[in-house]
Amino acid sequence: MGVTDILWVILFLVIFLVSYLVYSQRKEVSYFRSKKILHLGNAFVNSFYYMIYKKIGLVEMLQESYDQMREAQAPVAGNFDMGCINYFVTDSDMLKHILVKDFDHFVNRRSIKVPSTDILVTKMLIFQNDEKWKGLRSKLSPTFTTGKIKRLFSLFNDSSKKLVQYVNERMAESTDGEIDLGDGYSKFTMDTIASAVCGMNSQAFDQIEPSIFEMMGKKLQLTFTAKTFFKFFVMILLPKFSQRIGMTMFDKDMHQFFAGAIKSSIKERNQTGQKGNDFIQLMLEVREDKLKTDESELDSFEKDAIIKSEVKGQVSTADLLDDDGIVSNCVLFILAGFDTTQSLLLFCAYALAIHPEIQDKLRKEVEAVLDENDGDFTYDSIHKMAYLDMVIHETLRFYPPAPATDRGCTEDYLIPGTDIVVKKGDGIIVPIMSIHHDERYYPEPEKFDPERFSPENKGKFNTYAFLPFGQGPRNCIGMRFALTEVKLAIAQLVHNFDIEPSKRTPIPMKFENASSLKPKGGMWLALKRRTAINES
């Protein structure tokens, strides 16, 4: 394709975009006015205006929509996004029906059309629908049980100790102990995922600069730029054109790197019969229907999720988890686990820094557990710490890694308590962070208070107003993996260091314009070593 052809394509796309937006805006206003539903404006125009022009992120944009709904006393509002109708739902009782009780109407996430040639994306669990999703989810759920994650704990612990050593070395290079924890947590999450998911050495802690595994992992992170918007616009509205020109959601070099490494590992295992202690091995056993799961490893939550995702009819696991499928889902675990886990770790450290009384109380619990376990952490001891669990949950409420989630309607549905009918193909948007900061659900929502999640209070809060991992059968499959990883890293941090705000600590917090919650300008904190660091 020559330069002239490319210019003509760009001109065509610009004309098409302007025409589409004008038409869409008129259609939206007329549609929602006739239904007597609060209209929140065109999603694409709003996103471009707020994120590209005003330079404010997804969090602020969602909050403005939420405030509009509160002012109008509307638990449901709507907009159009790329030609699809979306309904914002903020009422917890309605969400209980949508996410759990009437799950059969909302099995899928919102439809996103991607080129069929983009094998990396099309085989990911998150992009599967209907029976294919149910088949893959029901097969993969047993790989994330408590028992399976417990067997990987030694890998988590090794990475956490590397993190402590890394932070200590960076502190030594700083004149005032001020460091950006983002770099350390990036290395920790990538090192943990590389070993536990892929059975690989990320080499993240072998050098200060990002290793190749880190660099490829960071390419999975989505930031909202003009280029990103244009790319998604073309892929969603012009799938045949994007397929013809070979457009993919992620860079091809990233796909080639992970596909090469993971397929090479699969080939070696098949040839030698050697087994790994990682999720590649678990997926290989799932594919061959050889994965053994003891019923005692499953709690009621896991059993319920598996039952509700069981398939009707035959779905071939071998097709869902061929070599490309294993690559895709390993990359999905990296994508989901790296970005969101790093976010949770950063904001938990931040909360502890600006609330020293909470940090001191947590440290006492951590020290007591270490004394009982010969100076080291175990899987059971990490999950036995009640106050640590409270701090993590309050961090998830105050700073949820995913500011919003969604569902796609698979069958016409009347929202309970309204006369609003969600049509098949329409989407549901759930503004998680706004709900988490609503005083109707949480008294004094802008106060960071772990006591909300104490054993005495935990049963009092509304389950459907706490959504960091979603709710229902389509919630985050890696929740236990992430919580184990985060609890261990935070426990190691408060055991080894005093955490304080530094001159560069952002107070009040400002967020990056990204798909997950991230601090703008990094997470700069001042750390002071409390214990001797093992140099071995």
Side-chain angles (χ1 to χ4, degrees):
M1 184 180 289
V3 175
T4 303
D5 294 330
I6 293 174
L7 291 174
W8 275 110
V9 169
I10 293 174
L11 178 62
F12 167 76
L13 290 174
V14 170
I15 295 172
F16 178 84
L17 175 60
V18 173
S19 301
Y20 163 78
L21 292 176
V22 171
Y23 166 76
S24 180
Q25 182 67 20
R26 290 179 177 176
K27 180 181 178 182
E28 284 188 46
V29 172
S30 175
Y31 179 86
F32 288 111
R33 184 177 292 168
S34 67
K35 300 288 184 180
K36 296 181 181 180
I37 298 172
L38 176 65
H39 178 221
L40 297 174
N42 182 275
F44 183 85
V45 174
N46 287 350
S47 299
F48 194 90
Y49 174 71
Y50 284 113
M51 297 180 183
I52 307 303
Y53 178 71
K54 291 188 71 174
K55 303 295 183 183
I56 63 174
L58 178 63
V59 172
E60 292 87 352
M61 188 179 72
L62 287 170
Q63 188 60 47
E64 288 206 12
S65 295
Y66 198 85
D67 291 342
Q68 279 184 259
M69 295 175 69
R70 286 293 306 273
E71 186 177 350
Q73 297 183 333
V76 181
N79 69 7
F80 273 64
D81 186 6
M82 300 293 188
C84 297
I85 298 171
N86 291 321
Y87 293 93
F88 283 65
V89 179
T90 62
D91 180 82
S92 61
D93 289 334
M94 294 178 184
L95 290 174
K96 182 177 182 179
H97 282 273
I98 290 168
L99 299 175
V100 178
K101 285 191 171 182
D102 301 321
F103 175 73
D104 57 322
H105 287 72
F106 298 96
V107 175
N108 301 334
R109 293 199 180 274
R110 287 188 300 161
S111 297
I112 298 178
K113 297 178 182 178
V114 294
S116 58
T117 51
D118 193 351
I119 297 174
L120 182 66
V121 171
T122 55
K123 297 208 170 189
M124 286 182 179
L125 175 64
I126 195 171
F127 289 106
Q128 301 304 312
N129 291 325
D130 304 314
E131 298 305 305
K132 282 190 175 182
W133 172 80
K134 290 181 180 180
L136 189 54
R137 175 74 187 230
S138 65
K139 294 295 184 181
L140 289 181
S141 287
T143 69
F144 282 93
T145 61
T146 299
K148 298 295 189 297
I149 295 171
K150 191 173 184 178
R151 295 172 200 173
L152 300 173
F153 185 78
S154 62
L155 301 176
F156 290 44
N157 206 12
D158 288 344
S159 295
S160 73
K161 291 176 180 178
K162 292 178 188 177
L163 170 66
V164 170
Q165 187 64 46
Y166 175 86
V167 171
N168 187 58
E169 291 170 356
R170 300 292 77 75
M171 284 172 52
E173 297 168 359
S174 171
T175 56
D176 54 6
E178 182 185 54
I179 65 171
D180 182 359
L181 272 181
D183 294 334
Y185 280 149
S186 171
K187 289 179 178 295
F188 168 70
T189 52
M190 192 53 70
D191 195 63
T192 305
I193 291 170
S195 58
V197 173
C198 304
M200 300 175 187
N201 180 3
S202 72
Q203 299 181 322
F205 287 109
D206 295 346
Q207 57 196 57
I208 296 176
E209 296 300 318
S211 67
I212 186 169
F213 203 103
E214 281 183 275
M215 289 190 289
M216 291 301 171
K218 286 180 178 180
K219 285 190 175 185
L220 291 169
Q221 295 177 301
L222 292 176
T223 55
F224 295 113
T225 63
K227 180 181 177 181
T228 304
F229 272 102
F230 181 76
K231 185 176 185 177
F232 277 93
F233 180 83
V234 174
M235 290 179 69
I236 293 171
L237 290 185
L238 301 170
K240 291 184 178 179
F241 173 75
S242 58
Q243 183 170 318
R244 182 175 299 174
I245 64 175
M247 187 176 285
T248 56
M249 188 170 291
F250 300 108
D251 292 345
K252 290 183 179 180
D253 61 338
M254 182 273 297
H255 182 188
Q256 291 169 353
F257 171 79
F258 286 114
I262 294 168
K263 286 184 178 180
S264 176
S265 177
I266 293 172
K267 183 178 180 181
E268 182 179 353
R269 296 180 199 202
N270 288 335
Q271 290 177 343
T272 63
Q274 183 179 358
K275 294 184 178 181
N277 184 30
D278 53 36
F279 278 97
I280 289 180
Q281 185 62 42
L282 293 175
M283 284 189 280
L284 286 171
E285 292 176 18
V286 167
R287 183 168 75 184
E288 297 166 5
D289 203 24
K290 294 180 179 179
L291 183 67
K292 296 180 180 179
T293 301
D294 189 335
E295 284 292 319
S296 64
E297 291 183 0
L298 300 172
D299 59 24
S300 59
F301 171 86
E302 291 161 336
K303 290 177 182 177
D304 186 56
I306 292 171
I307 290 171
K308 287 188 177 181
S309 60
E310 286 179 347
V311 298
K312 298 175 182 178
Q314 296 296 316
V315 176
S316 173
T317 306
D319 290 341
L320 293 168
L321 284 177
D322 59 7
D323 285 1
D324 285 324
I326 290 177
V327 170
S328 293
N329 286 289
C330 279
V331 171
L332 173 61
F333 299 152
I334 294 169
L335 167 65
F338 175 56
D339 219 18
T340 55
T341 303
Q342 183 196 34
S343 171
L344 176 54
L345 284 166
L346 289 173
F347 288 110
C348 189
Y350 175 78
L352 292 173
I354 60 178
H355 298 286
E357 72 286 356
I358 293 174
Q359 183 181 162
D360 291 341
K361 185 174 181 178
L362 175 59
R363 183 173 291 113
K364 288 178 182 178
E365 180 181 61
V366 169
E367 300 300 332
V369 165
L370 284 173
D371 288 343
E372 294 172 1
N373 291 275
D374 300 321
D376 203 359
F377 295 109
T378 65
Y379 179 90
D380 291 331
S381 69
I382 282 291
H383 288 285
K384 189 172 72 174
M385 288 189 267
Y387 196 67
L388 174 60
D389 187 72
M390 290 157 60
V391 169
I392 298 298
H393 275 75
E394 178 66 349
T395 305
L396 286 167
R397 181 197 71 83
F398 208 96
Y399 304 105
T405 190
D406 66 80
R407 294 292 186 270
C409 185
T410 58
E411 186 179 344
D412 289 3
Y413 179 77
L414 176 66
I415 297 179
T418 76
D419 57 1
I420 299 172
V421 176
V422 181
K423 298 288 187 180
K424 179 179 179 179
D426 292 348
I428 298 291
I429 305 292
V430 184
I432 295 173
M433 189 161 184
S434 298
I435 291 173
H436 284 190
H437 286 261
D438 191 328
E439 71 277 2
R440 293 176 299 177
Y441 301 122
Y442 298 97
E444 298 183 86
E446 301 311 312
K447 178 183 178 181
F448 188 89
D449 182 14
E451 295 299 329
R452 298 179 201 275
F453 296 95
S454 67
E456 297 77 21
N457 294 329
K458 207 168 185 179
K460 298 177 183 178
F461 76 88
N462 191 320
T463 302
Y464 298 93
F466 184 69
L467 303 162
F469 296 103
Q471 284 287 354
R474 191 130 197 178
N475 71 338
C476 175
I477 193 173
M479 178 178 66
R480 284 173 179 77
F481 184 103
L483 288 176
T484 301
E485 186 182 0
V486 168
K487 287 182 178 182
L488 181 56
I490 292 299
Q492 287 280 18
L493 192 71
V494 299
H495 168 60
N496 288 285
F497 306 101
D498 288 319
I499 317 161
E500 300 175 356
S502 73
K503 294 178 181 178
R504 299 170 68 178
T505 302
I507 303 175
M509 177 57 64
K510 293 184 178 180
F511 304 107
E512 284 283 3
N513 191 1
S515 56
S516 63
L517 207 65
K518 291 292 175 65
K520 194 169 187 176
M523 185 62 80
W524 291 91
L525 296 169
L527 276 69
K528 296 179 181 178
R529 190 171 66 188
R530 300 189 66 255
T531 63
I533 306 297
N534 184 1
E535 299 291 343
S536 61

